[in-house]
Amino acid sequence: MQKATTVTSPLLHFFCLVIIWCRIWLMHVVVAQNSSSIPVNVGVVLDLDTKLGKTGLSCINMALSDFYATHASYRTRLVLNPRDSKGVIGAAAAALDLIKNVQVQAIIGPQTSMQANFLINLGNKSQVPIISFSATSPSLTSLRSPYFFRATQNDSSQVKAISAIVVAFGWREAVPIYIDDEFGEGIIPYLTDALQGINVRVPYQSVIPSPASDDQISKELYKLLTMQTRVFIVHMPPSLGTRLFALAKEVGMMSEGYAWIVTDGMTNLWSLTDPPTIDSMQGVLGVRTYVPGTNELENFKVRWKRKFQQDNPTIINAELNIFGPWAYDATFALAMAIENVSMGNFSFNKTNVSSSGTDLESLDVSQNGDTTSPPKGWEIPTNEKKLRIGVPMKGGFSEFVKVTWDPNSHTATSVTGYCIDVFDAVMAAMPYAVTYEFIPFATPDGKSAGTYDDLIFQVYNGTYDAVVGDTTIVANRSQYVDFTLPYTESGVSMFVPIRDNRRKNAWVFLKPLTWDLWVTSACFFLFIGFVVWVLEHRINEDFRGPPSHQAGTSFWFSFSTMVFAHRERVVSNLARFVVIIWCFVVLILTQSYTASLTSLLTVQQLQPTVTDIQELLKKGEKVGFLKDSFIEGILKGRFRFPESQLIEYQSPEELHDLFTKGSANGGVVATLDEIPYMKLFLAKYCYEYTAVEPKLRTDGFGFVFPRGSPLVADVSRAVLNVTEGEKMNQIEQAWFNKGSSCPDLNTLVSSNSLGVESFGGLFLIAGVASISALIIFAAIFFYEQRHVLLHFDSETPFWRRIQIMSRIFDQKDLSSHTFRKSELEDKSRNDSVHSISVAGDSPNTNCPPSPSSYSNQTEPDFVFLADQRRVAENGDITPSVTASPEIFPFPERHSIELGNTTNGPRE
């Protein structure tokens, strides 16, 4: 059917809705009649750097020209105030400027769904209509804004056409590929529902970020390539979609056997896409908006192309897309609506905010004046019957739910407890009144009518409207009912008795530290002793002498720091630095050891009697569980306990009796239960039981409602309000604590040993300080002996070099201040002739003279041999085939001091 007066007939209903809404929305204030036209400011927010934005602006201008040319008698005139959005933030800033500074009465735009998401909130606050002809995401409608109008088709309108294509080809699976923003995500729920309605599976949803690189897109395509599904539905703008198809062609996913369907997000804008890019999309199916061909439409296209070419001379062969006529019709409808309310007041009211407020806080409000709170959409009828709330009949743990039963009338006289008080508080926090009554899930004689699963099933079959009690949120129950948010602590754990684990025996002094800490400490004592020996050996008499004496002195020095009784002095600054750090570490270690040992000998050491549930299973020990609880299924299914090892209980007193008897006498050694029950149990039996592994995750207690109940969301919000407030603390105090001074269940078991992890930082500091000192010492030593290193022949074995340097290290550093007896001795030593050690000198040897000088950093215990002689291992000079100089140590027992011998024999 063709249109008679407008460009696109699908928007006829939109025009009517705008006019009707504006008539209700705008206030009619009588003003003086005059012959002059009334200017009305209207904002336009578009991405003017894009072809779509330029097309929309040209169509808006054409719409105003055509409208006032055919309605010259109209008193109002729309004054356009265009703004370039340049992205999401730019669109919000542009709209804020138009509302605050220009005081526009409406805004045409924005261009994208992401931009519209921001502008809708501004429109709500300022009560300025937002009219978009290109924001197609269905999620924008969910914002329930009375000031947002969509002059375009909703993306959800095309899902039936897509599902019809899938049905026509008999495909059974399809994978949506969409952009990760409001535009991409909005269609997915509708598309998924449409596909499931025709029994088509959606095994996977592929999400592509808007700024994704080619590598990220290729990675996702290769992931899709490994799946069985070969039908893909693409919903994204052309800028990203064309890149996707180009890369899909490269990886071979555009070949035979693959099916691609694109939404109108791409097909409606193909006129803006370059032809070479479209070539990579050959074989792709697409849906697009259908506009019947009319004479009016063809004339409009010709006029638009002429105007667009005038406004944008650099763009050649521009083609009109569907968004142009939608922009034209949206502007036409807006001009008509404003003329119909031309008697209204177009001013703005100032909001009452402080001068320090932000721009959004000080946003003015339009005078054109209905309610801004949307209707809820449903209410509980006041004349409806009360909600039937099922509650469990409990044989124990009555603090949660307690039903007082009248055996004569076979009815409940009262229902009380922690869960009941919480539910009452939640209902009081609801935004509307809800009437209800509690109905016990009981037999005529006042006993429980079944398990908790049976009780919850009564909601599924319609017997009860809800269930209130200690009902745990678990997965299998959620298949039949909906739970509210939890109002108690979650989790399941094993609880066992505890005992005093103090061991007063001959080896109790080892208990304060773990074995790994003992071993680590001992290794560090040895290491520090070695470091101090290395740093002091050449300059300190206390660290010289026979090897056994040196080793004993070094280790004695290190271990004596434990009681700060070391008497050996250290003379080098490096050694002093290491000792200072080590003494600090030792101080912390000894103090911690003392404190831990004192606690071990005096404080009660509480330890669990059982720590492993699998050990209970192997030994055949009995485990308890609460009657009618889902815990029985966990014990039998997950942990595979046989029926013979399970014992049920109903009350804290019964559980305590079972623990007292023990497994051998028909009792239990452990129980698996939820945290809320065990907190109540521990409040009655302080310091006797504790929680151990395993700790399983559950979601705590929640209220039960039928699937899809509109009450669930509001009750959940009310639960949050109650649990975060003081009311929840008052309820817990009333039912659980009652003045109890029991500690938290996690603090009952005390630790008894200190581990390495507690002192890792100290050991790290000591190790770094020691190693740094060794590196600095080695650098100084090798630098001072560089003349020795330079005289090594390349043929000298490495082990021989190590041996020579070790013997040099073993000598005293006579240049150190610690060996200077007096100034006279120093002068005499400086005036003496440097000696050369020789052994077995023979008149027949033709040994060349030794060098006249060498380093005075060490004792003269080596000789330079240049010719054909060498020093044997025992110090004798023997012929050598080498001709290069070598440096060899001389044993002290063969050395002969030459030169000044008045100072006595060498040390």
Side-chain angles (χ1 to χ4, degrees):
M1 182 176 66
Q2 295 183 347
K3 294 171 52 179
T5 58
T6 60
V7 177
T8 53
S9 58
L11 297 178
L12 181 60
H13 295 291
F14 169 75
F15 301 155
C16 298
L17 288 175
V18 171
I19 294 173
I20 293 172
W21 181 87
C22 288
R23 287 180 180 275
I24 298 174
W25 173 59
L26 297 177
M27 297 177 57
H28 293 277
V29 180
V30 178
V31 296
Q33 298 289 333
N34 56 67
S35 58
S36 61
S37 61
I38 302 174
V40 180
N41 284 318
V42 174
V44 179
V45 179
L46 297 172
D47 293 340
L48 298 179
D49 291 335
T50 64
K51 291 183 180 179
L52 179 58
K54 296 179 186 297
T55 299
L57 184 59
S58 63
C59 291
I60 291 172
N61 287 318
M62 288 181 62
L64 291 182
S65 299
D66 293 347
F67 182 83
Y68 293 119
T70 56
H71 302 86
S73 61
Y74 280 15
R75 300 180 65 253
T76 58
R77 292 293 185 271
L78 267 63
V79 179
L80 296 181
N81 296 269
R83 296 289 188 274
D84 190 0
S85 58
K86 297 180 180 179
V88 177
I89 304 301
L96 186 62
D97 174 65
L98 289 169
I99 295 172
K100 286 181 61 67
N101 301 325
V102 185
Q103 294 191 343
V104 295
Q105 298 300 312
I107 294 178
I108 301 177
Q111 188 167 311
T112 67
S113 298
M114 291 185 64
Q115 296 171 354
N117 196 18
F118 284 80
L119 265 65
I120 287 173
N121 295 324
L122 294 177
N124 285 344
K125 188 172 181 63
S126 61
Q127 300 179 11
V128 173
I130 308 295
I131 305 169
S132 177
F133 60 87
S134 56
T136 60
S137 174
S139 64
L140 300 177
T141 305
S142 65
L143 296 177
R144 302 177 183 176
S145 169
Y147 299 97
F148 174 68
F149 295 93
R150 191 199 307 271
T152 179
Q153 287 183 333
N154 190 318
D155 278 339
S156 62
S157 62
Q158 60 185 313
V159 297
K160 289 186 177 180
I162 295 174
S163 61
I165 296 175
V166 176
V167 170
F169 286 95
W171 294 320
R172 307 310 304 165
E173 291 185 354
V175 171
I177 305 176
Y178 57 96
I179 187 173
D180 187 17
D181 58 18
E182 281 84 355
F183 169 75
E185 296 171 349
I187 195 179
I188 296 304
Y190 301 90
L191 179 61
T192 303
D193 291 342
L195 293 176
Q196 291 177 347
I198 58 175
N199 295 323
V200 174
R201 291 184 63 248
V202 181
Y204 179 72
Q205 295 181 6
S206 177
V207 185
I208 306 294
S210 54
S213 63
D214 288 351
D215 290 338
Q216 290 176 302
I217 298 176
S218 298
K219 183 179 180 180
E220 184 65 17
L221 290 174
Y222 279 114
K223 185 176 182 179
L224 295 174
L225 193 64
T226 62
M227 299 180 181
Q228 294 182 348
T229 308
R230 291 295 181 263
V231 180
F232 307 104
I233 302 173
V234 180
H235 180 65
M236 55 184 60
S239 58
L240 181 62
T242 52
R243 292 172 54 206
L244 174 75
F245 282 106
L247 293 171
K249 187 174 182 180
E250 291 181 6
V251 301
M253 295 182 67
M254 300 298 295
S255 59
E256 184 178 359
Y258 289 87
W260 295 86
I261 303 174
V262 295
T263 64
D264 62 6
M266 292 187 64
T267 56
N268 283 340
L269 296 175
W270 270 349
S271 60
L272 306 179
T273 307
D274 296 330
T277 306
I278 299 181
D279 291 339
S280 63
M281 302 174 61
Q282 295 299 323
V284 175
L285 296 174
V287 296
R288 65 183 302 179
T289 303
Y290 172 69
V291 179
T294 62
N295 292 332
E296 290 85 357
L297 180 59
E298 294 302 321
N299 292 334
F300 176 78
K301 287 182 178 179
V302 173
R303 292 193 299 117
W304 171 85
K305 195 165 188 177
R306 185 184 307 116
K307 178 174 177 53
F308 187 85
Q309 196 66 44
Q310 292 175 354
D311 296 340
N312 305 279
T314 59
I315 302 178
I316 304 175
N317 297 327
E319 295 292 334
L320 183 67
N321 55 66
I322 188 59
F323 295 103
W326 281 341
Y328 182 96
D329 289 344
T331 307
F332 209 91
L334 178 61
M336 179 68 72
I338 289 181
E339 176 63 24
N340 278 274
V341 293
S342 61
M343 302 294 290
N345 181 8
F346 296 113
S347 63
F348 276 62
N349 268 347
K350 293 288 185 180
T351 56
N352 185 19
V353 296
S354 63
S355 59
S356 62
T358 63
D359 287 343
L360 292 179
E361 292 173 343
S362 61
L363 199 64
D364 299 340
V365 179
S366 176
Q367 278 288 308
N368 297 313
D370 292 338
T371 176
T372 59
S373 58
K376 182 178 291 293
W378 68 275
E379 293 288 347
I380 296 179
T382 56
N383 59 349
E384 191 70 17
K385 64 179 182 179
K386 297 180 179 180
L387 292 179
R388 295 169 54 86
I389 308 295
V391 294
M393 288 290 295
K394 297 181 66 66
F397 293 97
S398 58
E399 287 82 355
F400 292 102
V401 176
K402 182 179 181 180
V403 178
T404 303
W405 188 261
D406 185 1
N408 297 324
S409 62
H410 302 290
T411 58
T413 58
S414 67
V415 180
T416 59
Y418 167 77
C419 299
I420 304 301
D421 284 357
V422 172
F423 184 76
D424 289 338
V426 169
M427 290 297 104
M430 292 282 284
Y432 44 83
V434 180
T435 57
Y436 54 91
E437 61 179 342
F438 296 114
I439 303 175
F441 185 53
T443 60
D445 58 353
K447 296 182 179 179
S448 176
T451 65
Y452 277 67
D453 289 339
D454 297 332
L455 171 60
I456 292 174
F457 192 76
Q458 303 305 308
V459 177
Y460 176 75
N461 62 22
T463 303
Y464 298 138
D465 298 316
V467 166
V468 172
D470 47 347
T471 50
T472 306
I473 304 172
V474 292
N476 64 330
R477 294 173 178 174
S478 65
Q479 298 177 6
Y480 304 97
V481 295
D482 281 347
F483 288 92
T484 65
L485 291 177
Y487 57 91
T488 62
E489 185 178 354
S490 62
V492 174
S493 189
M494 185 170 71
F495 291 82
V496 298
I498 54 179
R499 60 171 177 241
D500 187 1
N501 200 37
R502 285 182 293 183
R503 297 180 180 178
K504 298 179 180 179
N505 53 42
W507 302 102
V508 70
F509 68 91
L510 296 176
K511 213 41 181 155
L513 308 182
T514 59
W515 281 110
D516 54 352
L517 183 55
W518 279 115
V519 173
T520 303
S521 300
C523 292
F524 261 85
F525 275 111
L526 298 177
F527 175 65
I528 295 299
F530 169 75
V531 171
V532 173
W533 174 81
V534 170
L535 300 177
E536 294 289 306
H537 176 66
R538 304 187 72 234
I539 61 175
N540 192 339
E541 290 286 0
D542 291 339
F543 291 89
R544 298 191 61 83
S548 59
H549 174 76
Q550 296 183 44
T553 300
S554 301
F555 297 144
W556 156 256
F557 176 84
S558 177
F559 281 97
S560 63
T561 57
M562 186 164 52
V563 291
F564 305 99
H566 49 283
R567 292 177 295 179
E568 291 78 11
R569 61 190 183 96
V570 289
V571 296
S572 69
N573 290 330
L574 290 176
R576 290 170 178 171
F577 171 71
V578 172
V579 171
I580 289 174
I581 298 296
W582 179 240
C583 286
F584 175 75
V585 175
V586 170
L587 176 64
I588 301 299
L589 277 174
T590 54
Q591 294 296 323
S592 302
Y593 174 85
T594 303
S596 181
L597 181 61
T598 302
S599 175
L600 250 157
L601 296 176
T602 58
V603 179
Q604 188 180 27
Q605 301 296 308
L606 302 177
Q607 296 295 320
T609 56
V610 180
T611 57
D612 187 5
I613 192 171
Q614 296 296 334
E615 194 68 22
L616 297 177
L617 181 62
K618 294 177 182 178
K619 293 182 178 180
E621 301 286 0
K622 292 183 172 58
V623 178
F625 66 93
L626 185 62
K627 183 180 180 181
D628 297 333
S629 172
F630 69 96
I631 300 297
E632 181 180 7
I634 294 179
L635 289 169
K636 291 181 178 179
R638 178 168 180 174
F639 296 108
R640 302 186 182 278
F641 273 86
E643 187 75 29
S644 59
Q645 286 185 244
L646 302 179
I647 298 179
E648 65 178 16
Y649 58 88
Q650 298 190 60
S651 65
E653 295 77 14
E654 184 179 356
L655 176 58
H656 179 64
D657 292 339
L658 290 174
F659 274 125
T660 303
K661 291 180 181 179
S663 182
N665 299 319
V668 298
V669 297
T671 181
L672 201 69
D673 217 331
E674 297 180 78
I675 299 296
Y677 295 116
M678 287 299 102
K679 291 182 70 174
L680 179 60
F681 176 70
L682 294 177
K684 295 184 177 182
Y685 302 99
C686 290
Y687 301 105
E688 296 187 48
Y689 305 95
T690 189
V692 295
E693 297 292 342
K695 294 182 179 178
L696 311 179
R697 292 183 59 87
T698 60
D699 284 339
F701 296 164
F703 303 127
V704 182
F705 288 91
R707 289 287 297 271
S709 171
L711 278 172
V712 174
D714 289 334
V715 174
S716 295
R717 295 188 187 96
V719 166
L720 291 177
N721 292 331
V722 172
T723 55
E724 294 176 0
E726 183 61 28
K727 184 65 176 178
M728 197 66 175
N729 294 331
Q730 297 174 0
I731 296 174
E732 291 181 349
Q733 285 286 341
W735 288 103
F736 297 147
N737 292 338
K738 296 181 180 179
S740 173
S741 60
C742 292
D744 188 61
L745 60 89
N746 293 324
T747 62
L748 292 178
V749 179
S750 59
S751 61
N752 56 357
S753 297
L754 299 172
V756 176
E757 62 277 1
S758 302
F759 304 95
L762 289 174
F763 287 130
L764 178 63
I765 293 174
V768 170
S770 302
I771 294 175
S772 300
L774 286 177
I775 293 174
I776 295 173
F777 173 81
I780 295 174
F781 173 74
F782 285 114
Y783 177 77
E784 292 176 347
Q785 306 301 326
R786 62 187 182 280
H787 60 285
V788 179
L789 297 174
L790 293 175
H791 284 83
F792 280 130
D793 187 8
S794 60
E795 296 181 0
T796 304
F798 179 76
W799 66 267
R800 186 58 176 163
R801 301 184 186 188
I802 296 296
Q803 185 182 30
I804 294 172
M805 297 307 298
S806 299
R807 292 186 179 179
I808 295 176
F809 168 77
D810 190 47
Q811 303 301 317
K812 294 180 181 179
D813 184 0
L814 298 180
S815 65
S816 173
H817 67 282
T818 57
F819 294 123
R820 294 175 182 170
K821 304 299 183 181
S822 64
E823 290 296 330
L824 180 61
E825 291 180 347
D826 289 340
K827 186 175 184 303
S828 176
R829 187 179 300 275
N830 290 332
D831 292 339
S832 64
V833 180
H834 294 291
S835 60
I836 300 176
S837 299
V838 296
D841 193 7
S842 170
N844 297 327
T845 61
N846 295 321
C847 180
S850 302
S852 60
S853 64
Y854 51 89
S855 173
N856 61 359
Q857 302 289 329
T858 60
E859 291 183 325
D861 57 349
F862 57 89
V863 65
F864 289 89
L865 296 179
D867 243 351
Q868 298 183 1
R869 291 174 175 78
R870 62 183 177 87
V871 179
E873 291 293 333
N874 59 0
D876 294 335
I877 300 178
T878 58
S880 173
V881 295
T882 63
S884 60
E886 293 185 2
I887 306 171
F888 295 102
F890 239 9
E892 285 188 317
R893 63 180 183 272
H894 296 294
S895 64
I896 300 175
E897 189 76 25
L898 301 181
N900 188 359
T901 60
T902 60
N903 290 330
R906 288 185 55 192
E907 298 184 23

